[in-house]
Amino acid sequence: MSPGEDGLIGIPFPEHSNELLSRLNAQRRTGLLCDLTLTSRGARYPTHRSVMAAVSLYFSRLFGAEEGEEGEGHGCSVCQLDCVSPDALAALLEFAYTATLTIRSSGMRDVLKGAQLLGIQCVADACRDILGETETGEDPAEEAERPPSRREQDRCAVAPVRTLWRSPSAPDTPESGRPSGLLPNGGSHWTHRPEDTPSEEEESGAQGRATPQLDQSQGDGSGGGAMAANGRKRKSQMPQQCPVCQKIIHGAGKLPRHMRTHTGEKPFQCSACGVRFTRNDKLKIHMRKHTGERPYPCPSCPARFLHSYDLKNHLSLHSGDRPFECPLCHKAFAREDHLQRHRKGHSCLELRPRRPRRPPGPRPPGAFLQILEGHGVPVPLLPGARLPFPELLWRMGTAPEEAEGGSASVTHRVWEEDEEEPDAAGEEDE
DNA sequence: CTGGGGAAGGGGCCC
DNA sequence: TGGGCCCCTTCCCCA
């Protein structure tokens, strides 16, 4: 920079946000600087007010309202949230500090409920997507935007809530400005508890539990790690179910890799250009661009390629092979994805002739949802059936009812026996 | 619309 | 069981 050009220089530290969150999480786990304790049915979760206010609209408003009041202490507060199950609360806290929501499929609904109550919209949206739900009767955005009502909190409590419990020392202050359903307790203790749950004082033995329970046991089998009791050798490629999208991940050690597709975590950074990747092998391939390495030479010409599949595509040009032919217009393509793209176009849809019906009989398991991606063929669903993440299920290649625990509420067929078979069905049997 | 490059994500195999 | 490596499919983007 020349003298006189006193411009601002922005130096990015892409790791900063991750490190910051990681250190806050470490503080939470050790209780360091925690100024807020959330409790749920005996479980205690030390946390930080600032973090909760940042992640939760509910706490944002709660602490915002408190900010304006005088005489309210800012020491260590306790907020009793019996209307959110302990596991769901733990998962939401873990999300707040790690940007990763790790839950069992069986607990999805509790987490959704908790996220709605606490105004953590992104989590609520994700849970609703996975559950295939839409907000019933209300605008989802508005639902997540407003703090939970007293009625909602009552509805979600484990035991029926008849009265709001409050400490005898709690002053008789009006509730205006404070999230409904919570009452102050000495300025720093809000509670909303069922009558039959122990009070904080009674539950002094309850220890803080700030970590999700997923890693403790997968007794419900959703983790796919169950070992046969007969001593038979463990299957080496035990499939595991993603707790977020319910997808079955095949291959030992592949679940953490898959989970990064949800978290967006990209721990592998290119030392040359700073680009980050979710996987080490992708970074390795990327590095070839910097090193100039092209390990896949064409035997017929000087061309060299970064990827083996690039070479494969290239070789088809030499050979002239176009093995992928459109069944409608009979145009041939060297690449399957180009054929798929072609078939998605309108031209073939319009010219599409009626194809013979598939003979009756069982369909291959992998044939389920592929037609969804086909030529705009209407998908006959059973009445009331919904299809969450259709593209996901389509990728899975399994019927929802075949997927373990995933989208269990989705029961539908793709076609009726009397209906015309979609084009893609001819390719399913591969 | 097509050809080609590249990225993303999943599965198989191996250690 | 986790991770590395490789191959594959699919999708996106650009010319």
Side-chain angles (χ1 to χ4, degrees), chain A residues 322-336 338-340 342-343 348 427:
Chain A
R322 288 175 172 265
F324 305 101
E325 182 180 307
C326 175
L328 307 176
C329 67
H330 301 289
K331 181 175 175 61
F333 297 85
R335 280 168 49 169
E336 188 177 13
H338 285 171
L339 170 60
Q340 291 180 2
H342 165 81
R343 293 179 65 182
C348 277
E427 303 167 359

Side-chain angles (χ1 to χ4, degrees), chain A residues 60 141 145 242 257 298 303 340 375 382 399 429:
Chain A
S60 172
E145 271 296 306
C242 170
R257 187 181 75 176
C298 173
Q340 291 180 2
H375 295 179
L382 291 180
D429 297 339

Side-chain angles (χ1 to χ4, degrees), chain A residues 28 34-53 55-56 58-60 62-63 76-94 96-97 114 118 120 182 188-192 200 203 206-211:
Chain A
R28 173 179 71 109
C34 288
D35 52 1
L36 173 67
T37 298
L38 306 183
T39 72
S40 171
R41 303 169 201 171
R44 297 170 60 83
Y45 305 92
T47 180
H48 303 95
R49 295 155 64 99
S50 55
V51 173
M52 296 315 296
V55 79
S56 157
Y58 175 86
F59 283 108
S60 172
L62 174 68
F63 299 140
C76 186
S77 306
V78 176
C79 185
Q80 192 163 342
L81 292 167
D82 286 329
C83 57
V84 181
S85 76
D87 283 348
L89 189 55
L92 290 170
L93 275 171
E94 193 74 7
Y97 282 85
L118 298 182
I120 309 176
L182 294 176
S188 61
H189 185 170
W190 302 278
T191 183
H192 181 258
E200 187 193 357
E203 67 199 22
Q207 297 300 312
R209 193 170 47 143
T211 55

Side-chain angles (χ1 to χ4, degrees), chain A residues 2 6 80 137 140 186 193 197 302 304 320 348 351 357 359 370 405 430:
Chain A
S2 63
D6 191 13
Q80 192 163 342
R193 60 183 285 264
T197 56
R304 304 178 68 92
C348 277
L351 297 173
R357 290 178 185 172
Q370 280 195 317
E430 303 177 348

Side-chain angles (χ1 to χ4, degrees), chain A residues 234-240 249-257:
Chain A
R234 182 190 295 269
K235 193 178 176 183
S236 63
Q237 303 291 327
M238 182 67 75
Q240 294 175 289
I249 303 299
H250 298 269
K254 295 297 189 292
L255 186 56
R257 187 181 75 176

Side-chain angles (χ1 to χ4, degrees), chain A residues 268-270 277 279-287:
Chain A
F268 304 100
Q269 184 172 26
C270 173
F277 297 88
R279 290 163 49 169
N280 194 23
D281 53 342
K282 302 307 177 190
L283 171 60
K284 185 181 173 185
I285 290 174
H286 165 83
M287 290 305 291

Side-chain angles (χ1 to χ4, degrees), chain A residues 87-412:
Chain A
D87 283 348
L89 189 55
L92 290 170
L93 275 171
E94 193 74 7
F95 159 78
Y97 282 85
T98 66
T100 302
L101 185 65
T102 307
I103 52 176
R104 296 183 197 170
S105 55
S106 58
M108 185 75 67
R109 202 161 292 278
D110 283 343
V111 172
L112 169 58
K113 198 175 292 180
Q116 287 176 321
L117 284 164
L118 298 182
I120 309 176
Q121 186 171 2
C122 57
V123 172
D125 288 346
C127 291
R128 271 196 293 268
D129 281 347
I130 292 166
L131 290 168
E133 293 182 354
T134 56
E135 200 62 41
T136 54
E138 295 187 62
D139 176 27
E142 187 182 334
E143 171 76 5
E145 271 296 306
R146 61 168 173 77
S149 66
R150 161 77 179 274
R151 184 181 165 193
E152 285 170 313
Q153 297 207 4
D154 288 356
R155 191 174 57 215
C156 78
V158 167
V161 177
R162 296 179 188 86
T163 59
L164 284 172
W165 176 87
R166 54 197 298 198
S167 156
S169 63
D172 243 336
T173 54
E175 292 184 52
S176 59
R178 193 180 300 285
S180 59
L182 294 176
L183 289 175
N185 177 6
S188 61
H189 185 170
W190 302 278
T191 183
H192 181 258
R193 60 183 285 264
E195 288 176 329
D196 56 347
T197 56
S199 68
E200 187 193 357
E201 291 75 18
E202 292 162 342
E203 67 199 22
S204 57
Q207 297 300 312
R209 193 170 47 143
T211 55
Q213 307 305 304
L214 194 69
D215 57 340
Q216 292 180 354
S217 79
Q218 299 286 353
D220 60 356
S222 64
M227 169 80 173
N230 56 12
R232 215 167 41 177
K233 185 182 178 183
R234 182 190 295 269
K235 193 178 176 183
S236 63
Q237 303 291 327
M238 182 67 75
Q240 294 175 289
Q241 186 175 27
C242 170
V244 177
C245 70
Q246 320 304 319
K247 182 169 185 176
I248 304 299
I249 303 299
H250 298 269
K254 295 297 189 292
L255 186 56
R257 187 181 75 176
H258 167 81
M259 292 306 293
R260 287 200 288 267
T261 67
H262 295 300
T263 65
E265 182 191 10
K266 294 184 175 182
F268 304 100
Q269 184 172 26
C270 173
S271 57
C273 67
V275 176
R276 306 185 70 91
F277 297 88
T278 60
R279 290 163 49 169
N280 194 23
D281 53 342
K282 302 307 177 190
L283 171 60
K284 185 181 173 185
I285 290 174
H286 165 83
M287 290 305 291
R288 292 174 184 164
K289 290 202 291 188
H290 296 298
T291 64
E293 180 189 7
R294 288 178 173 265
Y296 300 98
C298 173
S300 305
C301 74
R304 304 178 68 92
F305 299 91
L306 287 173
H307 307 276
S308 60
Y309 43 86
D310 287 338
L311 174 60
K312 181 184 163 189
N313 290 335
H314 174 80
L315 288 176
S316 67
L317 297 179
H318 280 303
S319 65
D321 282 348
R322 288 175 172 265
F324 305 101
E325 182 180 307
C326 175
L328 307 176
C329 67
H330 301 289
K331 181 175 175 61
F333 297 85
R335 280 168 49 169
E336 188 177 13
D337 58 332
H338 285 171
L339 170 60
Q340 291 180 2
R341 185 178 61 183
H342 165 81
R343 293 179 65 182
K344 287 175 184 173
H346 290 293
S347 56
C348 277
L349 178 64
E350 293 163 358
L351 297 173
R352 179 174 170 234
R354 185 176 182 84
R355 301 185 68 202
R357 290 178 185 172
R358 184 191 184 98
R363 296 178 186 275
F368 190 69
L369 286 172
Q370 280 195 317
I371 67 162
L372 291 177
E373 185 270 347
H375 295 179
V377 178
V379 179
L381 300 176
L382 291 180
R386 285 181 296 183
L387 187 60
F389 286 164
E391 70 286 354
L392 179 68
L393 293 170
W394 178 74
R395 277 174 172 267
M396 289 171 68
T398 55
E401 57 265 34
E402 292 170 336
E404 294 178 24
S407 305
S409 62
V410 181
T411 54
H412 58 264

